[in-house]
Amino acid sequence: MENVKLNNGLTCPVVGIGTFMLSPADAENSVREALKMGYRLIDTANAYVNERAVGRGMKASGVERGEIFLSTKLWPSEYENPNAVDETLERLGVDYVDLLYIHQPAGNWLAGYRQLEKAYKEGKARSIGISNFEGKYIAELETKWEIAPQFIQVEAHPYFTQKELRKTLDKYGIKLMSWYPLGHGDKSLINEPLFAELGKKYGKTPAQVILRWHTQMGFVVIPGSKNVDHIRDNLNILDFTLTDEEMARIAKLDKNERYYHRTDAQLVQFAAWKPGFEKE
Ligand SMILES: NC(=O)c1ccc[n+]([C@@H]2O[C@H](COP(=O)([O-])OP(=O)(O)OC[C@H]3O[C@@H](n4cnc5c(N)ncnc54)[C@H](OP(=O)(O)O)[C@@H]3O)[C@@H](O)[C@H]2O)c1
């Protein structure tokens, strides 16, 4: 497994599995199978309402806790709950996470960030991150953080490469973890003829070429899947290297265009929404 080195000295695998929109049963299954086939990075969130299932999948895999890099996210309605971190750990069935994010720049997000810093100091989070904090949000946080984050999780793929944001990340050695790395099921990205051409050359699928592009950009990538064949393919991307010329050709696909457009009104809704956590 290739790893990236974080700005606090920790390492993180470059490929993991995402669990957004996976039901508890699917999340448990995907996590267990992914770990059994060699994955060591798992991404979940309070908001995915599958943290207990992720914890069960980890245990059922037989892989030791210390070998797994586990990432989760506090939801905005938890930012002012003083027990939010402990309750998250309890749901996951662990006594620390490897990475703890605040999920959205909504509600009292500075209180949320302070919870991350506290959890970091207490050893409950081995690294911390911000999710969806682009533009003015990271600019404000930059003036207020005591501990700089190790990660930012944002939408990124060949159509939207986060060029602007990366200038700030480079200043602090913050790593980018890509969400919607394959376009969230949208076929236009996967069907770009260039990925079929490169896939033919390397004996890979277009999805595998896209995921390799992410890692060669220096991104950590967490494709979501409930299909065991896709899960296997998505890990099998580290035995070939795109040339500089091929990376330059992929760079030309950049349209600076997101799939997902968040509005200010949605941020207000996010702050008000409370996840209906799994009871067991
Ligand atoms: N921080 C945030 O706000 C945020 C937002 C969105 C996502 N995320 C994180 O990022 C992860 C990835 O995003 P995502 O799951 O929404 O989008 P994605 O990984 O771009 O796409 C997932 C879709 O691609 C399909 N797929 C996966 N592997 C494939 C392959 N090898 N070939 C063809 N199709 C494939 C999956 O279907 P199958 O199930 O059939 O494989 C699923 O429909 C999430 O799971 C979550 O952990 C974070």
Side-chain angles (χ1 to χ4, degrees), residues 17-22 43-44 48 73 75 103-104 131-132 153-154 178-187 190 205 207-208 211 222-231 233-234:
I17 183 159
T19 62
F20 179 42
M21 296 181 73
L22 295 192
D43 182 65
T44 182
Y48 303 169
K73 313 180 192 82
W75 186 252
H103 203 148
Q104 295 285 349
S131 170
N132 304 304
Q153 191 176 107
V154 285
S178 315
W179 59 256
Y180 283 13
L182 296 171
H184 192 58
D186 170 74
K187 291 291 168 234
I190 284 194
T205 65
Q208 288 172 311
L211 295 174
I222 44 164
S225 181
K226 54 184 176 192
N227 173 321
V228 175
D229 293 329
H230 287 164
I231 295 173
D233 282 355
N234 296 347

mmCIF file of all heavy atoms in Angstrom, residues 17-22 43-44 48 73 75 103-104 131-132 153-154 178-187 190 205 207-208 211 222-231 233-234, ligand 1:
data_model
loop_
_atom_site.group_PDB
_atom_site.id
_atom_site.type_symbol
_atom_site.label_atom_id
_atom_site.label_comp_id
_atom_site.label_asym_id
_atom_site.label_seq_id
_atom_site.Cartn_x
_atom_site.Cartn_y
_atom_site.Cartn_z
ATOM 1 N N ILE A 17 -12.002 3.172 1.358
ATOM 2 C CA ILE A 17 -13.387 2.981 0.912
ATOM 3 C C ILE A 17 -14.289 4.005 1.592
ATOM 4 O O ILE A 17 -14.165 4.261 2.794
ATOM 5 C CB ILE A 17 -13.881 1.535 1.154
ATOM 6 C CG1 ILE A 17 -15.301 1.382 0.606
ATOM 7 C CG2 ILE A 17 -13.786 1.115 2.622
ATOM 8 C CD1 ILE A 17 -15.697 -0.032 0.319
ATOM 9 N N GLY A 18 -15.181 4.610 0.805
ATOM 10 C CA GLY A 18 -16.158 5.558 1.323
ATOM 11 C C GLY A 18 -17.483 4.861 1.559
ATOM 12 O O GLY A 18 -17.804 3.874 0.892
ATOM 13 N N THR A 19 -18.272 5.399 2.499
ATOM 14 C CA THR A 19 -19.519 4.708 2.863
ATOM 15 C C THR A 19 -20.751 5.609 2.800
ATOM 16 O O THR A 19 -21.789 5.278 3.363
ATOM 17 C CB THR A 19 -19.400 4.095 4.284
ATOM 18 O OG1 THR A 19 -19.206 5.173 5.225
ATOM 19 C CG2 THR A 19 -18.255 3.113 4.390
ATOM 20 N N PHE A 20 -20.638 6.743 2.094
ATOM 21 C CA PHE A 20 -21.784 7.662 1.935
ATOM 22 C C PHE A 20 -22.918 6.939 1.205
ATOM 23 O O PHE A 20 -22.684 6.267 0.205
ATOM 24 C CB PHE A 20 -21.318 8.870 1.108
ATOM 25 C CG PHE A 20 -22.372 9.903 0.815
ATOM 26 C CD1 PHE A 20 -23.282 10.320 1.772
ATOM 27 C CD2 PHE A 20 -22.419 10.492 -0.449
ATOM 28 C CE1 PHE A 20 -24.228 11.297 1.485
ATOM 29 C CE2 PHE A 20 -23.357 11.476 -0.748
ATOM 30 C CZ PHE A 20 -24.266 11.870 0.217
ATOM 31 N N MET A 21 -24.120 7.074 1.703
ATOM 32 C CA MET A 21 -25.320 6.508 1.104
ATOM 33 C C MET A 21 -25.381 4.975 1.166
ATOM 34 O O MET A 21 -26.194 4.358 0.480
ATOM 35 C CB MET A 21 -25.500 6.992 -0.342
ATOM 36 C CG MET A 21 -25.727 8.494 -0.378
ATOM 37 S SD MET A 21 -25.969 9.194 -1.996
ATOM 38 C CE MET A 21 -27.596 8.616 -2.366
ATOM 39 N N LEU A 22 -24.506 4.383 1.960
ATOM 40 C CA LEU A 22 -24.603 2.933 2.148
ATOM 41 C C LEU A 22 -25.468 2.666 3.380
ATOM 42 O O LEU A 22 -25.236 3.256 4.441
ATOM 43 C CB LEU A 22 -23.230 2.283 2.342
ATOM 44 C CG LEU A 22 -22.246 2.322 1.169
ATOM 45 C CD1 LEU A 22 -21.057 1.385 1.434
ATOM 46 C CD2 LEU A 22 -22.904 1.939 -0.146
ATOM 47 N N ASP A 43 -13.776 5.550 5.401
ATOM 48 C CA ASP A 43 -14.340 6.876 5.673
ATOM 49 C C ASP A 43 -15.837 6.767 5.935
ATOM 50 O O ASP A 43 -16.584 6.211 5.122
ATOM 51 C CB ASP A 43 -14.111 7.794 4.464
ATOM 52 C CG ASP A 43 -14.637 9.205 4.724
ATOM 53 O OD1 ASP A 43 -14.088 9.885 5.608
ATOM 54 O OD2 ASP A 43 -15.620 9.609 4.062
ATOM 55 N N THR A 44 -16.266 7.311 7.072
ATOM 56 C CA THR A 44 -17.692 7.375 7.372
ATOM 57 C C THR A 44 -17.988 8.745 7.975
ATOM 58 O O THR A 44 -17.176 9.659 7.874
ATOM 59 C CB THR A 44 -18.135 6.201 8.277
ATOM 60 O OG1 THR A 44 -19.549 6.292 8.487
ATOM 61 C CG2 THR A 44 -17.430 6.179 9.612
ATOM 62 N N TYR A 48 -23.897 9.721 7.934
ATOM 63 C CA TYR A 48 -24.202 8.555 7.075
ATOM 64 C C TYR A 48 -25.043 7.528 7.835
ATOM 65 O O TYR A 48 -25.542 6.576 7.242
ATOM 66 C CB TYR A 48 -22.918 7.883 6.551
ATOM 67 C CG TYR A 48 -21.985 8.787 5.771
ATOM 68 C CD1 TYR A 48 -20.704 8.387 5.429
ATOM 69 C CD2 TYR A 48 -22.385 10.060 5.369
ATOM 70 C CE1 TYR A 48 -19.842 9.216 4.722
ATOM 71 C CE2 TYR A 48 -21.523 10.892 4.670
ATOM 72 C CZ TYR A 48 -20.253 10.473 4.361
ATOM 73 O OH TYR A 48 -19.393 11.287 3.669
ATOM 74 N N LYS A 73 -16.773 11.908 10.745
ATOM 75 C CA LYS A 73 -17.016 13.362 10.718
ATOM 76 C C LYS A 73 -18.128 13.727 11.693
ATOM 77 O O LYS A 73 -19.160 13.038 11.743
ATOM 78 C CB LYS A 73 -17.467 13.800 9.305
ATOM 79 C CG LYS A 73 -16.615 13.235 8.201
ATOM 80 C CD LYS A 73 -17.046 13.665 6.813
ATOM 81 C CE LYS A 73 -16.350 12.829 5.765
ATOM 82 N NZ LYS A 73 -16.966 11.513 5.502
ATOM 83 N N TRP A 75 -21.211 15.942 12.627
ATOM 84 C CA TRP A 75 -22.239 16.698 11.895
ATOM 85 C C TRP A 75 -22.506 18.029 12.630
ATOM 86 O O TRP A 75 -22.380 18.092 13.866
ATOM 87 C CB TRP A 75 -23.522 15.871 11.754
ATOM 88 C CG TRP A 75 -24.514 16.569 10.882
ATOM 89 C CD1 TRP A 75 -25.672 17.166 11.279
ATOM 90 C CD2 TRP A 75 -24.400 16.796 9.472
ATOM 91 N NE1 TRP A 75 -26.288 17.747 10.193
ATOM 92 C CE2 TRP A 75 -25.522 17.541 9.063
ATOM 93 C CE3 TRP A 75 -23.444 16.447 8.497
ATOM 94 C CZ2 TRP A 75 -25.734 17.942 7.747
ATOM 95 C CZ3 TRP A 75 -23.656 16.857 7.182
ATOM 96 C CH2 TRP A 75 -24.799 17.591 6.825
ATOM 97 N N HIS A 103 -17.845 18.273 9.392
ATOM 98 C CA HIS A 103 -18.376 17.868 8.084
ATOM 99 C C HIS A 103 -18.744 19.044 7.180
ATOM 100 O O HIS A 103 -18.614 18.968 5.966
ATOM 101 C CB HIS A 103 -19.616 16.987 8.319
ATOM 102 C CG HIS A 103 -19.954 16.068 7.199
ATOM 103 N ND1 HIS A 103 -20.539 14.840 7.392
ATOM 104 C CD2 HIS A 103 -19.811 16.173 5.858
ATOM 105 C CE1 HIS A 103 -20.732 14.242 6.234
ATOM 106 N NE2 HIS A 103 -20.304 15.038 5.277
ATOM 107 N N GLN A 104 -19.244 20.125 7.802
ATOM 108 C CA GLN A 104 -19.731 21.259 6.995
ATOM 109 C C GLN A 104 -19.461 22.570 7.734
ATOM 110 O O GLN A 104 -19.526 22.606 8.963
ATOM 111 C CB GLN A 104 -21.264 21.157 6.797
ATOM 112 C CG GLN A 104 -21.744 19.969 5.994
ATOM 113 C CD GLN A 104 -21.491 20.118 4.494
ATOM 114 O OE1 GLN A 104 -21.134 21.198 4.012
ATOM 115 N NE2 GLN A 104 -21.677 19.028 3.764
ATOM 116 N N SER A 131 -14.110 19.455 6.298
ATOM 117 C CA SER A 131 -14.746 18.949 5.094
ATOM 118 C C SER A 131 -15.643 20.052 4.533
ATOM 119 O O SER A 131 -16.415 20.664 5.286
ATOM 120 C CB SER A 131 -15.564 17.710 5.471
ATOM 121 O OG SER A 131 -16.370 17.328 4.411
ATOM 122 N N ASN A 132 -15.489 20.333 3.260
ATOM 123 C CA ASN A 132 -16.288 21.345 2.552
ATOM 124 C C ASN A 132 -15.986 22.780 3.006
ATOM 125 O O ASN A 132 -16.833 23.654 2.869
ATOM 126 C CB ASN A 132 -17.790 21.026 2.696
ATOM 127 C CG ASN A 132 -18.107 19.641 2.198
ATOM 128 O OD1 ASN A 132 -17.799 19.319 1.046
ATOM 129 N ND2 ASN A 132 -18.664 18.791 3.031
ATOM 130 N N GLN A 153 -11.454 17.427 3.162
ATOM 131 C CA GLN A 153 -12.186 16.522 2.279
ATOM 132 C C GLN A 153 -13.152 17.363 1.461
ATOM 133 O O GLN A 153 -14.015 18.055 2.010
ATOM 134 C CB GLN A 153 -12.929 15.461 3.101
ATOM 135 C CG GLN A 153 -13.476 14.346 2.220
ATOM 136 C CD GLN A 153 -14.146 13.217 2.988
ATOM 137 O OE1 GLN A 153 -15.373 13.078 2.976
ATOM 138 N NE2 GLN A 153 -13.362 12.391 3.655
ATOM 139 N N VAL A 154 -12.979 17.318 0.145
ATOM 140 C CA VAL A 154 -13.772 18.157 -0.758
ATOM 141 C C VAL A 154 -14.042 17.407 -2.054
ATOM 142 O O VAL A 154 -13.362 16.423 -2.367
ATOM 143 C CB VAL A 154 -13.026 19.477 -1.109
ATOM 144 C CG1 VAL A 154 -13.054 20.473 0.046
ATOM 145 C CG2 VAL A 154 -11.597 19.211 -1.562
ATOM 146 N N SER A 178 -10.364 13.248 -1.736
ATOM 147 C CA SER A 178 -11.364 13.573 -2.770
ATOM 148 C C SER A 178 -12.698 12.900 -2.510
ATOM 149 O O SER A 178 -12.736 11.671 -2.400
ATOM 150 C CB SER A 178 -10.924 13.058 -4.136
ATOM 151 O OG SER A 178 -9.597 13.321 -4.416
ATOM 152 N N TRP A 179 -13.769 13.669 -2.503
ATOM 153 C CA TRP A 179 -15.079 13.018 -2.567
ATOM 154 C C TRP A 179 -15.676 13.164 -3.980
ATOM 155 O O TRP A 179 -15.237 14.004 -4.750
ATOM 156 C CB TRP A 179 -16.020 13.403 -1.471
ATOM 157 C CG TRP A 179 -16.482 14.802 -1.181
ATOM 158 C CD1 TRP A 179 -16.049 15.599 -0.158
ATOM 159 C CD2 TRP A 179 -17.542 15.529 -1.817
ATOM 160 N NE1 TRP A 179 -16.760 16.769 -0.137
ATOM 161 C CE2 TRP A 179 -17.691 16.751 -1.139
ATOM 162 C CE3 TRP A 179 -18.389 15.256 -2.893
ATOM 163 C CZ2 TRP A 179 -18.633 17.725 -1.515
ATOM 164 C CZ3 TRP A 179 -19.333 16.212 -3.268
ATOM 165 C CH2 TRP A 179 -19.436 17.426 -2.584
ATOM 166 N N TYR A 180 -16.633 12.290 -4.293
ATOM 167 C CA TYR A 180 -17.111 12.119 -5.674
ATOM 168 C C TYR A 180 -15.941 11.859 -6.638
ATOM 169 O O TYR A 180 -15.887 12.419 -7.739
ATOM 170 C CB TYR A 180 -17.886 13.350 -6.168
ATOM 171 C CG TYR A 180 -19.307 13.515 -5.671
ATOM 172 C CD1 TYR A 180 -19.797 12.752 -4.609
ATOM 173 C CD2 TYR A 180 -20.169 14.434 -6.262
ATOM 174 C CE1 TYR A 180 -21.102 12.932 -4.159
ATOM 175 C CE2 TYR A 180 -21.465 14.609 -5.822
ATOM 176 C CZ TYR A 180 -21.930 13.866 -4.760
ATOM 177 O OH TYR A 180 -23.222 14.050 -4.334
ATOM 178 N N PRO A 181 -14.977 11.026 -6.225
ATOM 179 C CA PRO A 181 -13.775 10.858 -7.066
ATOM 180 C C PRO A 181 -14.077 10.289 -8.442
ATOM 181 O O PRO A 181 -13.340 10.549 -9.397
ATOM 182 C CB PRO A 181 -12.910 9.880 -6.252
ATOM 183 C CG PRO A 181 -13.892 9.115 -5.407
ATOM 184 C CD PRO A 181 -14.945 10.126 -5.040
ATOM 185 N N LEU A 182 -15.179 9.517 -8.534
ATOM 186 C CA LEU A 182 -15.548 8.926 -9.827
ATOM 187 C C LEU A 182 -16.748 9.632 -10.422
ATOM 188 O O LEU A 182 -17.338 9.160 -11.392
ATOM 189 C CB LEU A 182 -15.877 7.432 -9.644
ATOM 190 C CG LEU A 182 -14.715 6.544 -9.190
ATOM 191 C CD1 LEU A 182 -15.221 5.144 -8.839
ATOM 192 C CD2 LEU A 182 -13.652 6.456 -10.288
ATOM 193 N N GLY A 183 -17.151 10.758 -9.836
ATOM 194 C CA GLY A 183 -18.315 11.482 -10.356
ATOM 195 C C GLY A 183 -19.628 11.010 -9.750
ATOM 196 O O GLY A 183 -20.697 11.300 -10.288
ATOM 197 N N HIS A 184 -19.552 10.234 -8.631
ATOM 198 C CA HIS A 184 -20.753 9.830 -7.896
ATOM 199 C C HIS A 184 -21.740 9.088 -8.812
ATOM 200 O O HIS A 184 -22.957 9.290 -8.757
ATOM 201 C CB HIS A 184 -21.415 11.074 -7.279
ATOM 202 C CG HIS A 184 -22.483 10.777 -6.268
ATOM 203 N ND1 HIS A 184 -22.264 10.031 -5.139
ATOM 204 C CD2 HIS A 184 -23.799 11.138 -6.217
ATOM 205 C CE1 HIS A 184 -23.390 9.943 -4.443
ATOM 206 N NE2 HIS A 184 -24.335 10.601 -5.080
ATOM 207 N N GLY A 185 -21.209 8.245 -9.686
ATOM 208 C CA GLY A 185 -22.091 7.446 -10.536
ATOM 209 C C GLY A 185 -22.460 8.118 -11.851
ATOM 210 O O GLY A 185 -23.083 7.497 -12.722
ATOM 211 N N ASP A 186 -22.057 9.399 -12.041
ATOM 212 C CA ASP A 186 -22.326 10.067 -13.322
ATOM 213 C C ASP A 186 -21.457 9.417 -14.391
ATOM 214 O O ASP A 186 -20.260 9.246 -14.202
ATOM 215 C CB ASP A 186 -21.985 11.560 -13.210
ATOM 216 C CG ASP A 186 -22.018 12.234 -14.570
ATOM 217 O OD1 ASP A 186 -23.119 12.458 -15.089
ATOM 218 O OD2 ASP A 186 -20.931 12.511 -15.127
ATOM 219 N N LYS A 187 -22.087 9.068 -15.508
ATOM 220 C CA LYS A 187 -21.350 8.282 -16.507
ATOM 221 C C LYS A 187 -20.434 9.122 -17.389
ATOM 222 O O LYS A 187 -19.507 8.615 -18.011
ATOM 223 C CB LYS A 187 -22.329 7.485 -17.391
ATOM 224 C CG LYS A 187 -23.042 6.365 -16.644
ATOM 225 C CD LYS A 187 -22.076 5.228 -16.268
ATOM 226 C CE LYS A 187 -22.687 4.251 -15.282
ATOM 227 N NZ LYS A 187 -21.931 4.006 -14.085
ATOM 228 N N ILE A 190 -16.664 8.867 -16.296
ATOM 229 C CA ILE A 190 -16.102 7.517 -16.511
ATOM 230 C C ILE A 190 -16.040 7.188 -18.003
ATOM 231 O O ILE A 190 -15.155 6.464 -18.448
ATOM 232 C CB ILE A 190 -16.940 6.469 -15.721
ATOM 233 C CG1 ILE A 190 -16.592 6.553 -14.228
ATOM 234 C CG2 ILE A 190 -16.709 5.070 -16.238
ATOM 235 C CD1 ILE A 190 -17.066 5.396 -13.374
ATOM 236 N N THR A 205 -9.551 -0.590 -15.964
ATOM 237 C CA THR A 205 -10.842 0.004 -16.333
ATOM 238 C C THR A 205 -10.700 1.536 -16.288
ATOM 239 O O THR A 205 -9.789 2.060 -15.627
ATOM 240 C CB THR A 205 -11.948 -0.401 -15.345
ATOM 241 O OG1 THR A 205 -11.622 0.173 -14.065
ATOM 242 C CG2 THR A 205 -12.078 -1.918 -15.219
ATOM 243 N N ALA A 207 -12.416 3.536 -14.560
ATOM 244 C CA ALA A 207 -12.487 3.953 -13.137
ATOM 245 C C ALA A 207 -11.119 3.815 -12.478
ATOM 246 O O ALA A 207 -10.693 4.690 -11.703
ATOM 247 C CB ALA A 207 -13.521 3.109 -12.392
ATOM 248 N N GLN A 208 -10.418 2.748 -12.778
ATOM 249 C CA GLN A 208 -9.087 2.561 -12.179
ATOM 250 C C GLN A 208 -8.117 3.639 -12.644
ATOM 251 O O GLN A 208 -7.289 4.111 -11.864
ATOM 252 C CB GLN A 208 -8.538 1.174 -12.521
ATOM 253 C CG GLN A 208 -9.263 0.055 -11.777
ATOM 254 C CD GLN A 208 -8.841 -1.322 -12.254
ATOM 255 O OE1 GLN A 208 -8.803 -1.605 -13.453
ATOM 256 N NE2 GLN A 208 -8.503 -2.194 -11.318
ATOM 257 N N LEU A 211 -8.899 6.772 -10.656
ATOM 258 C CA LEU A 211 -8.440 6.688 -9.260
ATOM 259 C C LEU A 211 -6.921 6.829 -9.186
ATOM 260 O O LEU A 211 -6.390 7.466 -8.263
ATOM 261 C CB LEU A 211 -8.915 5.375 -8.626
ATOM 262 C CG LEU A 211 -10.441 5.252 -8.496
ATOM 263 C CD1 LEU A 211 -10.827 3.866 -7.987
ATOM 264 C CD2 LEU A 211 -11.024 6.329 -7.567
ATOM 265 N N ILE A 222 -11.270 7.904 -1.830
ATOM 266 C CA ILE A 222 -12.138 7.010 -1.044
ATOM 267 C C ILE A 222 -13.405 6.666 -1.833
ATOM 268 O O ILE A 222 -14.512 7.007 -1.415
ATOM 269 C CB ILE A 222 -12.502 7.672 0.309
ATOM 270 C CG1 ILE A 222 -12.885 9.159 0.092
ATOM 271 C CG2 ILE A 222 -11.365 7.539 1.310
ATOM 272 C CD1 ILE A 222 -13.613 9.783 1.259
ATOM 273 N N PRO A 223 -13.266 5.988 -2.988
ATOM 274 C CA PRO A 223 -14.461 5.664 -3.775
ATOM 275 C C PRO A 223 -15.464 4.852 -2.957
ATOM 276 O O PRO A 223 -15.074 3.974 -2.193
ATOM 277 C CB PRO A 223 -13.904 4.837 -4.938
ATOM 278 C CG PRO A 223 -12.577 4.318 -4.454
ATOM 279 C CD PRO A 223 -12.053 5.376 -3.543
ATOM 280 N N GLY A 224 -16.732 5.178 -3.146
ATOM 281 C CA GLY A 224 -17.791 4.453 -2.438
ATOM 282 C C GLY A 224 -18.282 3.314 -3.311
ATOM 283 O O GLY A 224 -18.395 3.467 -4.528
ATOM 284 N N SER A 225 -18.580 2.177 -2.691
ATOM 285 C CA SER A 225 -19.140 1.075 -3.481
ATOM 286 C C SER A 225 -19.744 0.025 -2.582
ATOM 287 O O SER A 225 -19.250 -0.234 -1.489
ATOM 288 C CB SER A 225 -18.044 0.437 -4.345
ATOM 289 O OG SER A 225 -18.595 -0.606 -5.110
ATOM 290 N N LYS A 226 -20.818 -0.588 -3.093
ATOM 291 C CA LYS A 226 -21.365 -1.757 -2.399
ATOM 292 C C LYS A 226 -21.218 -2.994 -3.287
ATOM 293 O O LYS A 226 -21.830 -4.023 -3.035
ATOM 294 C CB LYS A 226 -22.818 -1.522 -1.986
ATOM 295 C CG LYS A 226 -23.730 -1.115 -3.096
ATOM 296 C CD LYS A 226 -25.116 -0.809 -2.529
ATOM 297 C CE LYS A 226 -26.001 -0.297 -3.646
ATOM 298 N NZ LYS A 226 -27.240 0.270 -3.198
ATOM 299 N N ASN A 227 -20.411 -2.863 -4.335
ATOM 300 C CA ASN A 227 -20.210 -3.953 -5.282
ATOM 301 C C ASN A 227 -18.794 -4.501 -5.068
ATOM 302 O O ASN A 227 -17.806 -3.788 -5.250
ATOM 303 C CB ASN A 227 -20.382 -3.364 -6.690
ATOM 304 C CG ASN A 227 -20.030 -4.330 -7.795
ATOM 305 O OD1 ASN A 227 -19.080 -5.095 -7.687
ATOM 306 N ND2 ASN A 227 -20.784 -4.259 -8.878
ATOM 307 N N VAL A 228 -18.718 -5.767 -4.653
ATOM 308 C CA VAL A 228 -17.420 -6.324 -4.259
ATOM 309 C C VAL A 228 -16.415 -6.304 -5.413
ATOM 310 O O VAL A 228 -15.218 -6.101 -5.197
ATOM 311 C CB VAL A 228 -17.603 -7.746 -3.675
ATOM 312 C CG1 VAL A 228 -16.261 -8.393 -3.370
ATOM 313 C CG2 VAL A 228 -18.410 -7.673 -2.399
ATOM 314 N N ASP A 229 -16.900 -6.473 -6.642
ATOM 315 C CA ASP A 229 -15.961 -6.428 -7.787
ATOM 316 C C ASP A 229 -15.383 -5.021 -7.954
ATOM 317 O O ASP A 229 -14.193 -4.853 -8.223
ATOM 318 C CB ASP A 229 -16.663 -6.859 -9.079
ATOM 319 C CG ASP A 229 -17.037 -8.336 -9.035
ATOM 320 O OD1 ASP A 229 -16.305 -9.101 -8.376
ATOM 321 O OD2 ASP A 229 -18.070 -8.710 -9.618
ATOM 322 N N HIS A 230 -16.245 -4.012 -7.793
ATOM 323 C CA HIS A 230 -15.736 -2.634 -7.870
ATOM 324 C C HIS A 230 -14.767 -2.357 -6.729
ATOM 325 O O HIS A 230 -13.745 -1.698 -6.906
ATOM 326 C CB HIS A 230 -16.890 -1.620 -7.806
ATOM 327 C CG HIS A 230 -17.709 -1.560 -9.056
ATOM 328 N ND1 HIS A 230 -18.946 -0.974 -9.106
ATOM 329 C CD2 HIS A 230 -17.445 -1.986 -10.318
ATOM 330 C CE1 HIS A 230 -19.423 -1.046 -10.336
ATOM 331 N NE2 HIS A 230 -18.531 -1.663 -11.088
ATOM 332 N N ILE A 231 -15.113 -2.851 -5.536
ATOM 333 C CA ILE A 231 -14.250 -2.603 -4.366
ATOM 334 C C ILE A 231 -12.856 -3.192 -4.636
ATOM 335 O O ILE A 231 -11.837 -2.555 -4.385
ATOM 336 C CB ILE A 231 -14.885 -3.201 -3.083
ATOM 337 C CG1 ILE A 231 -16.193 -2.457 -2.757
ATOM 338 C CG2 ILE A 231 -13.933 -3.127 -1.897
ATOM 339 C CD1 ILE A 231 -17.009 -3.053 -1.612
ATOM 340 N N ASP A 233 -11.501 -3.824 -7.650
ATOM 341 C CA ASP A 233 -10.862 -3.018 -8.722
ATOM 342 C C ASP A 233 -10.293 -1.713 -8.165
ATOM 343 O O ASP A 233 -9.221 -1.273 -8.570
ATOM 344 C CB ASP A 233 -11.902 -2.616 -9.778
ATOM 345 C CG ASP A 233 -12.227 -3.753 -10.730
ATOM 346 O OD1 ASP A 233 -11.589 -4.819 -10.634
ATOM 347 O OD2 ASP A 233 -13.146 -3.565 -11.571
ATOM 348 N N ASN A 234 -11.038 -1.086 -7.266
ATOM 349 C CA ASN A 234 -10.647 0.249 -6.807
ATOM 350 C C ASN A 234 -9.366 0.238 -5.967
ATOM 351 O O ASN A 234 -8.691 1.257 -5.855
ATOM 352 C CB ASN A 234 -11.791 0.902 -6.011
ATOM 353 C CG ASN A 234 -13.010 1.146 -6.892
ATOM 354 O OD1 ASN A 234 -12.927 1.054 -8.121
ATOM 355 N ND2 ASN A 234 -14.142 1.443 -6.278
HETATM 356 N N1 LIG B 1 -17.419 15.161 2.966
HETATM 357 C C1 LIG B 1 -18.476 15.151 2.185
HETATM 358 O O1 LIG B 1 -19.305 16.071 2.219
HETATM 359 C C2 LIG B 1 -18.669 14.011 1.253
HETATM 360 C C3 LIG B 1 -19.619 14.090 0.224
HETATM 361 C C4 LIG B 1 -19.753 12.992 -0.615
HETATM 362 C C5 LIG B 1 -18.964 11.866 -0.425
HETATM 363 N N2 LIG B 1 -18.059 11.814 0.593
HETATM 364 C C6 LIG B 1 -17.174 10.637 0.823
HETATM 365 O O2 LIG B 1 -16.548 10.304 -0.405
HETATM 366 C C7 LIG B 1 -16.849 8.955 -0.753
HETATM 367 C C8 LIG B 1 -16.893 8.820 -2.269
HETATM 368 O O3 LIG B 1 -17.944 9.554 -2.832
HETATM 369 P P1 LIG B 1 -19.233 8.869 -3.477
HETATM 370 O O4 LIG B 1 -19.305 7.465 -2.972
HETATM 371 O O5 LIG B 1 -20.388 9.743 -3.226
HETATM 372 O O6 LIG B 1 -18.925 8.934 -5.017
HETATM 373 P P2 LIG B 1 -17.964 8.132 -6.012
HETATM 374 O O7 LIG B 1 -16.997 7.304 -5.241
HETATM 375 O O8 LIG B 1 -17.464 9.111 -7.012
HETATM 376 O O9 LIG B 1 -18.978 7.213 -6.790
HETATM 377 C C9 LIG B 1 -19.663 6.158 -6.196
HETATM 378 C C10 LIG B 1 -20.454 5.497 -7.319
HETATM 379 O O10 LIG B 1 -19.525 4.941 -8.255
HETATM 380 C C11 LIG B 1 -19.808 3.569 -8.425
HETATM 381 N N3 LIG B 1 -18.502 2.874 -8.521
HETATM 382 C C12 LIG B 1 -17.614 2.651 -7.525
HETATM 383 N N4 LIG B 1 -16.539 1.991 -7.995
HETATM 384 C C13 LIG B 1 -16.751 1.814 -9.318
HETATM 385 C C14 LIG B 1 -16.002 1.193 -10.346
HETATM 386 N N5 LIG B 1 -14.824 0.636 -10.111
HETATM 387 N N6 LIG B 1 -16.519 1.183 -11.600
HETATM 388 C C15 LIG B 1 -17.720 1.749 -11.847
HETATM 389 N N7 LIG B 1 -18.484 2.352 -10.923
HETATM 390 C C16 LIG B 1 -17.998 2.380 -9.659
HETATM 391 C C17 LIG B 1 -20.597 3.131 -7.226
HETATM 392 O O11 LIG B 1 -21.519 2.134 -7.554
HETATM 393 P P3 LIG B 1 -21.391 0.610 -6.985
HETATM 394 O O12 LIG B 1 -21.866 0.632 -5.559
HETATM 395 O O13 LIG B 1 -22.271 -0.137 -7.903
HETATM 396 O O14 LIG B 1 -19.943 0.215 -7.102
HETATM 397 C C18 LIG B 1 -21.352 4.420 -6.852
HETATM 398 O O15 LIG B 1 -22.539 4.525 -7.598
HETATM 399 C C19 LIG B 1 -18.176 8.706 -0.041
HETATM 400 O O16 LIG B 1 -18.511 7.335 0.042
HETATM 401 C C20 LIG B 1 -17.938 9.379 1.279
HETATM 402 O O17 LIG B 1 -17.158 8.561 2.132
HETATM 403 C C21 LIG B 1 -17.898 12.881 1.416
#
